[in-house]
Amino acid sequence: MMDMLEKLNVKKTGIFAAGVLFGTAGIKVLSSKDAKKVYVSCTAAVLRAKECIMRTVSIVQENAEDIYAEALEINEKRAAEETEFEDESEAADDFKETPVSQS
């Protein structure tokens, strides 16, 4: 029996016992009414933050859609102006005098 007690590592056993004790106490603390109030408050804060972020995201998304629409309008106007300019230059080419060769 003494051999068995001598082989028992007191330090490791003490650490294990302390871990079990703190684990049990931790479960009691985490499941208490006060802890539940803290969890509820933290969750409510996270939900408020989420709502604020979602409002900001929707504003940014609306602005991006407006920017995209305006960019499309600018490109359409530019394409129409280029087409108009090309039509005018082709019409001007039709009225140029062709040189007559003198033989």
Side-chain angles (χ1 to χ4, degrees), residues 3 5-6 14 18 21-22 25 34 50 52 54 56 61 67 79 81-87 93 102:
D3 289 337
L5 289 175
E6 287 178 11
L21 179 67
F22 283 123
D34 291 334
K50 178 188 169 196
C52 179
M54 292 308 291
T56 303
Q61 187 176 13
I67 290 169
E81 288 174 0
E82 287 178 4
T83 304
E84 187 177 298
F85 179 73
E86 289 174 1
D87 291 343
D93 288 340
Q102 295 182 355

Side-chain angles (χ1 to χ4, degrees), residues 20 24 34 37 54 82 91 103:
V20 170
T24 305
D34 291 334
K37 289 179 185 178
M54 292 308 291
E82 287 178 4
S103 4

Side-chain angles (χ1 to χ4, degrees), residues 27-92:
I27 290 172
K28 291 289 184 181
V29 168
L30 293 175
S31 62
S32 69
K33 289 180 182 179
D34 291 334
K36 184 177 178 181
K37 289 179 185 178
V38 170
Y39 303 148
V40 170
S41 297
C42 289
T43 304
V46 168
L47 290 174
R48 286 191 303 269
K50 178 188 169 196
E51 187 176 312
C52 179
I53 290 170
M54 292 308 291
R55 277 194 306 253
T56 303
V57 166
S58 66
I59 290 171
V60 169
Q61 187 176 13
E62 289 171 4
N63 288 339
E65 289 172 356
D66 292 343
I67 290 169
Y68 182 72
E70 287 181 30
L72 286 177
E73 287 178 18
I74 289 171
N75 285 339
E76 288 173 1
K77 287 179 185 177
R78 216 170 186 192
E81 288 174 0
E82 287 178 4
T83 304
E84 187 177 298
F85 179 73
E86 289 174 1
D87 291 343
E88 289 176 1
S89 65
E90 288 176 7

Side-chain angles (χ1 to χ4, degrees), residues 10-21:
V10 178
K11 184 177 179 181
K12 288 183 180 179
T13 306
I15 290 173
F16 175 75
V20 170
L21 179 67

